[in-house]
Amino acid sequence: MRGKFITFEGGEGTGKSTQVELLARTLVKKGWDVVVTKEPGGTEVGKEIRRLLVCGDKDKMDATAEALLYYADRHIHMVQKILPALENGKIVISDRFADSTKAYQCYGYGERVSKEVVDELYRIAVGDFKPDLTIVLDIDPEKGLRRSFAKADNMAEKELRFESRALEFHTNLREGFKIIAEEEPERCVVLDADKSIDELHQSVMNVVEQRLGLFTEKCDSNHIEEIG
Ligand code: TMP
């Protein structure tokens, strides 16, 4: 049986990584084989691409170059990691996927990269494939950015290229995620991320159960693979 592909999306500091981890642990307890991964940086090549994208001066490349690099990372990620795991019946949970490119590189920059161009890149790099479920975590960008900057205090190499953009960029991409979710309600659910970690995890589990029924389905293995 083919596995399921679940993606988490949202702006900065929404708590995606924590919720990805909690969901993975809950699914493993229920007996599922789970692969936790992320974009950019879900593969060896992807880790190198990630460094180019998230570190350094915010103006070192434009939105088009960013979109191309994110899609290069995504194509390698899908071919090398996501598809093989799904073919082996695993649940793959990714911290970000294609909606981030539309939200950040298209809507964030006021459509400097058009929706048509982003859709064309998707067609070339990803084809017909799409997530079974996308959970968009939504929070006031000012609050999210504060959380992100606080987290970066402990990072050796600061991954703050996008956080350093103006508040308008973050407000735009927040709206962008909402538009994306409204356009594909059968795939996407928006959750208010301005609540406690446990409350949000409960909401995530409710959505995963309603949409995919993974907590009631029987399964007999229990294993988790993680990408560092
Ligand atoms: P992360 O901090 O959630 O790991 O994501 C890395 C950064 O890259 C984050 O600032 C969002 C940004 N990003 C894009 O701009 N476009 C994309 O397609 C993806 C996947 C991430």
Side-chain angles (χ1 to χ4, degrees), residues 63-91:
T64 302
E66 286 173 8
L68 291 166
L69 283 172
Y70 278 114
Y71 265 100
D73 169 72
R74 186 159 302 131
H75 178 75
I76 298 166
H77 189 207
M78 189 187 67
V79 171
Q80 294 185 0
K81 184 142 201 213
I82 301 170
L83 292 180
L86 292 176
E87 273 154 31
N88 283 322
K90 296 180 184 180
I91 308 289

Side-chain angles (χ1 to χ4, degrees), residues 12 16 39 50 54 70 74 96 100-101 104-105 162:
E12 305 300 334
K16 282 182 291 84
E39 288 194 0
R50 180 180 176 95
V54 301
Y70 278 114
R74 186 159 302 131
R96 298 193 184 280
S100 280
T101 309
Y104 278 74
Q105 279 64 48
F162 289 93

Side-chain angles (χ1 to χ4, degrees), residues 9-13 16-17 38-40 50 53-54 66-67 70-71 73-74 95-105 109 148 151 155 159-163 169-170 173:
E9 298 279 9
E12 305 300 334
K16 282 182 291 84
S17 317
K38 68 177 178 187
E39 288 194 0
R50 180 180 176 95
L53 282 162
V54 301
E66 286 173 8
Y70 278 114
Y71 265 100
D73 169 72
R74 186 159 302 131
D95 185 341
R96 298 193 184 280
F97 190 65
D99 298 319
S100 280
T101 309
K102 197 174 256 183
Y104 278 74
Q105 279 64 48
Y109 291 109
S148 251
K151 197 170 149 194
M155 284 181 187
E159 296 189 339
L160 290 172
R161 223 183 125 240
F162 289 93
E163 283 84 343
F169 176 81
H170 297 278
L173 72 87

